[in-house]
Amino acid sequence: NAGVTQTPKFRVLKTGQSMTLLCAQDMNHEYMYWYRQDPGMGLRLIHYSVGEGTTAKGEVPDGYNVSRLKKQNFLLGLESAAPSQTSVYFCASSHGGIMNTEAFFGQGTRLTVV
Amino acid sequence: GEDVEQSLFLSVREGDSSVINCTYTDSSSTYLYWYKQEPGAGLQLLTYIFSNMDMKQDQRLTVLLNKKDKHLSLRIADTQTGDSAIYFCAESRGGSQGNLIFGKGTKLSVKP
């Protein structure tokens, strides 16, 4: 079972460039999430989705956009990358709301913006 | 404060017990969680406790919850080198589908 797969695993961007991070899950989960992990900051929620075609803002949404055109995929876009977006990005999915069901995490995408 | 607080580092010897502590903020949190992150990997749910419980035991893991003090702890008995990882405390907070608020993580180092 693949679980939650993130691509790419590593990327270096120049300031101002754009990119899309892809998250795919094969567990038929309704809920999907994008987090960023920074040293000494824990994980912070960027955006989430409670079902195909829906998205909502999390704690730190600025500078990011998301789309959930297919249930199994959740895309995170950076339109104009900034050094402050250097981070490790984690996608997660869960069957129900993340409050009361287990969340499954991808392996992470390490992004460096120079 | 607004944060879920954890100490950043813990070092123990193999075979000893490890206790990782956490304080959370939202007294209405329904579930409290411990996630484990091994080097270069994503997070995996280790265990969770429902807010109406005081204790939960699962093999080598014991979770203690003190709702009055908003204090959560994870005890790992007979700690092994394979337990070396970062452990995140998380609370569910607010909203119809909620959000997990994570602590900064405690890095557990197990020395042989």
PDB file of all heavy atoms in Angstrom, chain A residues 18-33:
ATOM      1  N   SER A  18       7.733  29.716  -9.334  1.00  0.00           N
ATOM      2  CA  SER A  18       6.523  29.037  -8.867  1.00  0.00           C
ATOM      3  C   SER A  18       6.728  27.533  -8.935  1.00  0.00           C
ATOM      4  O   SER A  18       7.586  27.037  -9.674  1.00  0.00           O
ATOM      5  CB  SER A  18       5.328  29.437  -9.718  1.00  0.00           C
ATOM      6  OG  SER A  18       5.527  29.013 -11.047  1.00  0.00           O
ATOM      7  N   MET A  19       5.945  26.818  -8.145  1.00  0.00           N
ATOM      8  CA  MET A  19       5.979  25.366  -8.223  1.00  0.00           C
ATOM      9  C   MET A  19       4.721  24.800  -7.573  1.00  0.00           C
ATOM     10  O   MET A  19       4.016  25.501  -6.835  1.00  0.00           O
ATOM     11  CB  MET A  19       7.215  24.788  -7.541  1.00  0.00           C
ATOM     12  CG  MET A  19       7.167  24.721  -6.038  1.00  0.00           C
ATOM     13  SD  MET A  19       8.419  23.604  -5.361  1.00  0.00           S
ATOM     14  CE  MET A  19       7.868  22.015  -5.988  1.00  0.00           C
ATOM     15  N   THR A  20       4.478  23.532  -7.866  1.00  0.00           N
ATOM     16  CA  THR A  20       3.347  22.814  -7.290  1.00  0.00           C
ATOM     17  C   THR A  20       3.847  21.540  -6.635  1.00  0.00           C
ATOM     18  O   THR A  20       4.604  20.782  -7.241  1.00  0.00           O
ATOM     19  CB  THR A  20       2.306  22.472  -8.372  1.00  0.00           C
ATOM     20  OG1 THR A  20       1.843  23.679  -8.973  1.00  0.00           O
ATOM     21  CG2 THR A  20       1.128  21.729  -7.752  1.00  0.00           C
ATOM     22  N   LEU A  21       3.401  21.340  -5.407  1.00  0.00           N
ATOM     23  CA  LEU A  21       3.683  20.094  -4.701  1.00  0.00           C
ATOM     24  C   LEU A  21       2.448  19.211  -4.823  1.00  0.00           C
ATOM     25  O   LEU A  21       1.314  19.676  -4.613  1.00  0.00           O
ATOM     26  CB  LEU A  21       3.968  20.346  -3.219  1.00  0.00           C
ATOM     27  CG  LEU A  21       5.361  20.858  -2.821  1.00  0.00           C
ATOM     28  CD1 LEU A  21       5.592  22.267  -3.345  1.00  0.00           C
ATOM     29  CD2 LEU A  21       5.514  20.823  -1.312  1.00  0.00           C
ATOM     30  N   LEU A  22       2.690  17.957  -5.130  1.00  0.00           N
ATOM     31  CA  LEU A  22       1.586  17.036  -5.314  1.00  0.00           C
ATOM     32  C   LEU A  22       1.514  16.051  -4.152  1.00  0.00           C
ATOM     33  O   LEU A  22       2.526  15.517  -3.713  1.00  0.00           O
ATOM     34  CB  LEU A  22       1.753  16.250  -6.623  1.00  0.00           C
ATOM     35  CG  LEU A  22       0.778  15.089  -6.841  1.00  0.00           C
ATOM     36  CD1 LEU A  22      -0.646  15.615  -6.958  1.00  0.00           C
ATOM     37  CD2 LEU A  22       1.169  14.290  -8.071  1.00  0.00           C
ATOM     38  N   CYS A  23       0.310  15.842  -3.671  1.00  0.00           N
ATOM     39  CA  CYS A  23       0.052  14.832  -2.652  1.00  0.00           C
ATOM     40  C   CYS A  23      -1.001  13.875  -3.193  1.00  0.00           C
ATOM     41  O   CYS A  23      -2.053  14.316  -3.680  1.00  0.00           O
ATOM     42  CB  CYS A  23      -0.443  15.486  -1.372  1.00  0.00           C
ATOM     43  SG  CYS A  23      -0.872  14.306  -0.065  1.00  0.00           S
ATOM     44  N   ALA A  24      -0.723  12.590  -3.102  1.00  0.00           N
ATOM     45  CA  ALA A  24      -1.674  11.591  -3.572  1.00  0.00           C
ATOM     46  C   ALA A  24      -1.872  10.551  -2.475  1.00  0.00           C
ATOM     47  O   ALA A  24      -0.907  10.112  -1.844  1.00  0.00           O
ATOM     48  CB  ALA A  24      -1.158  10.919  -4.842  1.00  0.00           C
ATOM     49  N   GLN A  25      -3.149  10.182  -2.246  1.00  0.00           N
ATOM     50  CA  GLN A  25      -3.446   9.141  -1.266  1.00  0.00           C
ATOM     51  C   GLN A  25      -4.354   8.101  -1.908  1.00  0.00           C
ATOM     52  O   GLN A  25      -5.224   8.421  -2.706  1.00  0.00           O
ATOM     53  CB  GLN A  25      -4.069   9.734   0.011  1.00  0.00           C
ATOM     54  CG  GLN A  25      -5.268  10.631  -0.204  1.00  0.00           C
ATOM     55  CD  GLN A  25      -6.605   9.943  -0.094  1.00  0.00           C
ATOM     56  OE1 GLN A  25      -6.696   8.748   0.217  1.00  0.00           O
ATOM     57  NE2 GLN A  25      -7.683  10.707  -0.338  1.00  0.00           N
ATOM     58  N   ASP A  26      -4.120   6.850  -1.532  1.00  0.00           N
ATOM     59  CA  ASP A  26      -4.880   5.746  -2.134  1.00  0.00           C
ATOM     60  C   ASP A  26      -5.781   5.056  -1.112  1.00  0.00           C
ATOM     61  O   ASP A  26      -6.118   3.882  -1.255  1.00  0.00           O
ATOM     62  CB  ASP A  26      -3.918   4.745  -2.782  1.00  0.00           C
ATOM     63  CG  ASP A  26      -2.959   4.119  -1.787  1.00  0.00           C
ATOM     64  OD1 ASP A  26      -3.043   4.448  -0.568  1.00  0.00           O
ATOM     65  OD2 ASP A  26      -2.108   3.312  -2.210  1.00  0.00           O
ATOM     66  N   MET A  27      -6.158   5.799  -0.072  1.00  0.00           N
ATOM     67  CA  MET A  27      -6.962   5.214   1.007  1.00  0.00           C
ATOM     68  C   MET A  27      -8.412   5.696   0.963  1.00  0.00           C
ATOM     69  O   MET A  27      -9.176   5.442   1.894  1.00  0.00           O
ATOM     70  CB  MET A  27      -6.323   5.565   2.361  1.00  0.00           C
ATOM     71  CG  MET A  27      -4.934   4.955   2.519  1.00  0.00           C
ATOM     72  SD  MET A  27      -4.049   5.541   3.971  1.00  0.00           S
ATOM     73  CE  MET A  27      -3.491   7.133   3.402  1.00  0.00           C
ATOM     74  N   ASN A  28      -8.768   6.406  -0.090  1.00  0.00           N
ATOM     75  CA  ASN A  28     -10.130   6.922  -0.243  1.00  0.00           C
ATOM     76  C   ASN A  28     -10.530   7.862   0.900  1.00  0.00           C
ATOM     77  O   ASN A  28     -11.698   7.928   1.291  1.00  0.00           O
ATOM     78  CB  ASN A  28     -11.146   5.771  -0.354  1.00  0.00           C
ATOM     79  CG  ASN A  28     -12.430   6.233  -1.020  1.00  0.00           C
ATOM     80  OD1 ASN A  28     -12.423   7.075  -1.914  1.00  0.00           O
ATOM     81  ND2 ASN A  28     -13.547   5.671  -0.582  1.00  0.00           N
ATOM     82  N   HIS A  29      -9.545   8.589   1.424  1.00  0.00           N
ATOM     83  CA  HIS A  29      -9.830   9.518   2.516  1.00  0.00           C
ATOM     84  C   HIS A  29     -10.518  10.766   2.015  1.00  0.00           C
ATOM     85  O   HIS A  29     -10.178  11.307   0.955  1.00  0.00           O
ATOM     86  CB  HIS A  29      -8.528   9.895   3.233  1.00  0.00           C
ATOM     87  CG  HIS A  29      -8.018   8.815   4.129  1.00  0.00           C
ATOM     88  ND1 HIS A  29      -6.741   8.837   4.647  1.00  0.00           N
ATOM     89  CD2 HIS A  29      -8.587   7.689   4.598  1.00  0.00           C
ATOM     90  CE1 HIS A  29      -6.559   7.767   5.413  1.00  0.00           C
ATOM     91  NE2 HIS A  29      -7.666   7.057   5.391  1.00  0.00           N
ATOM     92  N   GLU A  30     -11.427  11.271   2.829  1.00  0.00           N
ATOM     93  CA  GLU A  30     -12.100  12.511   2.485  1.00  0.00           C
ATOM     94  C   GLU A  30     -11.239  13.737   2.795  1.00  0.00           C
ATOM     95  O   GLU A  30     -11.257  14.725   2.074  1.00  0.00           O
ATOM     96  CB  GLU A  30     -13.412  12.632   3.266  1.00  0.00           C
ATOM     97  CG  GLU A  30     -14.493  11.642   2.834  1.00  0.00           C
ATOM     98  CD  GLU A  30     -15.039  11.961   1.444  1.00  0.00           C
ATOM     99  OE1 GLU A  30     -14.932  13.120   0.996  1.00  0.00           O
ATOM    100  OE2 GLU A  30     -15.548  11.023   0.788  1.00  0.00           O
ATOM    101  N   TYR A  31     -10.540  13.697   3.901  1.00  0.00           N
ATOM    102  CA  TYR A  31      -9.830  14.871   4.403  1.00  0.00           C
ATOM    103  C   TYR A  31      -8.361  14.825   4.016  1.00  0.00           C
ATOM    104  O   TYR A  31      -7.700  13.796   4.158  1.00  0.00           O
ATOM    105  CB  TYR A  31      -9.927  14.937   5.938  1.00  0.00           C
ATOM    106  CG  TYR A  31     -11.311  15.197   6.475  1.00  0.00           C
ATOM    107  CD1 TYR A  31     -12.296  14.223   6.418  1.00  0.00           C
ATOM    108  CD2 TYR A  31     -11.618  16.418   7.048  1.00  0.00           C
ATOM    109  CE1 TYR A  31     -13.566  14.462   6.917  1.00  0.00           C
ATOM    110  CE2 TYR A  31     -12.885  16.670   7.553  1.00  0.00           C
ATOM    111  CZ  TYR A  31     -13.850  15.681   7.484  1.00  0.00           C
ATOM    112  OH  TYR A  31     -15.107  15.929   7.971  1.00  0.00           O
ATOM    113  N   MET A  32      -7.872  15.948   3.554  1.00  0.00           N
ATOM    114  CA  MET A  32      -6.444  16.059   3.238  1.00  0.00           C
ATOM    115  C   MET A  32      -5.932  17.391   3.749  1.00  0.00           C
ATOM    116  O   MET A  32      -6.679  18.371   3.837  1.00  0.00           O
ATOM    117  CB  MET A  32      -6.197  15.915   1.734  1.00  0.00           C
ATOM    118  CG  MET A  32      -6.585  14.527   1.219  1.00  0.00           C
ATOM    119  SD  MET A  32      -6.141  14.242  -0.498  1.00  0.00           S
ATOM    120  CE  MET A  32      -4.351  13.996  -0.365  1.00  0.00           C
ATOM    121  N   TYR A  33      -4.631  17.423   4.070  1.00  0.00           N
ATOM    122  CA  TYR A  33      -4.034  18.572   4.758  1.00  0.00           C
ATOM    123  C   TYR A  33      -2.627  18.834   4.231  1.00  0.00           C
ATOM    124  O   TYR A  33      -1.925  17.903   3.858  1.00  0.00           O
ATOM    125  CB  TYR A  33      -3.913  18.290   6.269  1.00  0.00           C
ATOM    126  CG  TYR A  33      -5.182  17.784   6.918  1.00  0.00           C
ATOM    127  CD1 TYR A  33      -5.541  16.442   6.841  1.00  0.00           C
ATOM    128  CD2 TYR A  33      -6.018  18.654   7.611  1.00  0.00           C
ATOM    129  CE1 TYR A  33      -6.701  15.975   7.435  1.00  0.00           C
ATOM    130  CE2 TYR A  33      -7.182  18.191   8.210  1.00  0.00           C
ATOM    131  CZ  TYR A  33      -7.519  16.858   8.114  1.00  0.00           C
ATOM    132  OH  TYR A  33      -8.677  16.408   8.697  1.00  0.00           O
TER     133      TYR A  33
END
